[in-house]
Amino acid sequence: MDAYADSYAASLKDPQRFWLDAAHAVTWSRTPRRALDDSRPPFYRWFPDGELNTCYNALDRHVEAGHGERPALRYDSPVTGATAAYTYAELRDEVARFAGVLRDQGVGKGDRVVVYMPMIPQAVVAMLACARLGAVHSVVFGGFAPRELAARITDAAPKILVTASCGIEPGRVIAYKPIVDEAIAASDHPPTSVVVLQRERLRADLGPRDHDWDALMANARPAPCVDVAATDPLYVLYTSGTTGRPKGVVRDNGGHAVALTWSMKNIYDIGPGDVWWSASDVGWVVGHSYIVYGPLLVGATTVLYEGKPVGTPDAGAFWRVISQYGVKALFTAPTGIRAIKRLDPQGGEVAKYDLSGFTALFLAGERLDPETYRWASSILGVPVVDHWWQTETGWAVAANPRGLQELPIKPGSPTVPMPGYDVEILSPSGEVLPPRTEGAICLRLPLPPGTLLTLWGDDDRYVESYLSRFPGHYSTGDGGYIDEDGYLFVMGRTDDVINVAGHRLSTGSMEAVLGEHPAVAECAVIGVHDALKGQVPHGLVVLKAGADVEPDTLRAELVAAVRRDIGPVAAFKEVSIVDALPKTRSGKILRKSLRAIADGRVEPTPSTIEDPGVLDVLRRVLAPPPTN
């Protein structure tokens, strides 16, 4: 671990020197002489005396260095049958023109722009155009309901909203304009105008405040890059699942550029000319960090995929894209790999494609179960690298730094903390726990560059939400432990802990056991009410395609496995086989909704659980006991 250990130790011992050295990979209009401003804790700022433009670093500097003809973006849309490619020069010119459109609409430095678009190149253009002007973009996942969009408009108070006439998914077309109109009508701070990209599949009727994207672009004058302070906000991204006022994570320009540039080289081993694919959506933090900014900052080619690679019975979609574009590394969620495993348990689709240039699969977004890790490793023959981070952190807290020093992989662990992240496992009373003792995963302040600065317009809520539980630390909300080798194991959200007869047990640990069974494709464990023990665990499992197993036999085997690996104390006795588990649009299992149903706080309805079969099971096995 010499290279990693030296780098990590240096980042904690002398963060000023470490991050100033890392900042040399970024082009500054005013080079910072200080890395960290710690004069007003807990509100830390990175590179306080630096100035730069993020769009310039992502596009212009590569063109000026003579790399204008290098591919910057590959667009692949199986839902429309369209593909497109943009060189760095072409993308720079398109972004400069749309920045001119925004400027002509009155957008300037510090103004907010809400972007509500599908996975099309214009979404990337809109984000970079905001960065070019020093404006603050807030991307909302395309297809979010009007109420969710309205809450974000109200909080961000944008000057402009940028959208498309529709989004296209396998089997359906979603009209965006009615959603936007309803959201604007319900918001307290509506934008002054809306820019609409008309798509041929479904065109929208434009109203008085609406402007056609193509018409504006036809007469646009390119806008130059506007220098901003490193500490100025680049974007606001609202966390999913927020109730009440949404929580808008604020990301700065300087720290963000430095951290993502460092991560692309040292974690993902991606540099100039490499082809990188992050199979996510620009509406999520993964899309911000590793579809748009990260790969472009280092001069790589990024793949933008419209559709769901496993949204149809096509187990070869991932491998087709990797082969067609020469992808060096893929980043996706374990859910996607499990879906492929379910469709193609033997991995036969892989052999149909040339994956000779593919070097690594990176997984994040949820816990990587050991069985999925082993399956993917076996069929792909490349390292399958788990890593762990959050919307709030913006880049990996723990990872295997393949570009710095590739470390041995331990199934179930996202490997080790990355530079700048001082990870500690704390007891409920705030004591640092010894190795292999499970507790709350916390990050000692200050957080490294690229992480959240605060919540938009609400410093007090930032402190209350993340910094108050363990003073001097950022509370991740996840539980886990660190082993004797320094490897971090993330067992799940701390609210995934259930109390069985006074024993606090991790449902994540039980899920890991269930996932080991060769017939199980996906699983979730939920605590349900028990008159004697308070709570008992109940397993929900999805079977692999073609699994030939007797349900009663499977249940007995799973119960025995949990009893063997967790112990009788788990009181694990109930398993239900379901066709599917309820998930978010990004593919994460809706464990929070399942817990709410189990607790009786939410009634399972088609609006919360779309699959009728799953709905029936949830009503039967998770219904709260009747009250007298």
Side-chain angles (χ1 to χ4, degrees), residues 54-59 61-62 71-74 88 91 95 115 117-132 137 139 234-235 237 256-257 260-261 263-264 270 274 276-305 331 389 394:
T54 297
C55 179
Y56 178 88
N57 275 275
L59 299 176
R61 67 169 176 164
H62 303 306
L73 185 149
R74 300 279 192 186
Y88 270 90
L91 188 57
V95 167
V115 178
M117 300 190 82
M119 284 286 287
I120 55 178
Q122 290 83 358
V124 178
V125 168
M127 294 168 69
L128 291 167
C130 292
R132 193 173 191 85
H137 63 69
V139 181
L234 171 67
Y235 69 76
L237 179 61
H256 174 261
L260 291 194
T261 300
S263 72
M264 288 301 298
I270 296 294
D274 290 334
W276 162 264
W277 181 22
S278 181
S280 182
D281 190 283
V282 292
W284 311 124
V285 69
V286 172
H288 282 59
S289 294
Y290 296 115
I291 293 177
V292 182
Y293 289 110
L296 296 179
L297 284 167
V298 298
T301 302
T302 186
V303 175
L304 182 77
Y305 186 95
F331 178 174
W389 50 298

Side-chain angles (χ1 to χ4, degrees), residues 505-523:
L505 300 170
S506 167
T507 57
S509 299
M510 298 181 215
E511 290 174 3
V513 175
L514 300 187
E516 293 276 347
H517 194 285
V520 173
E522 292 186 304
C523 63

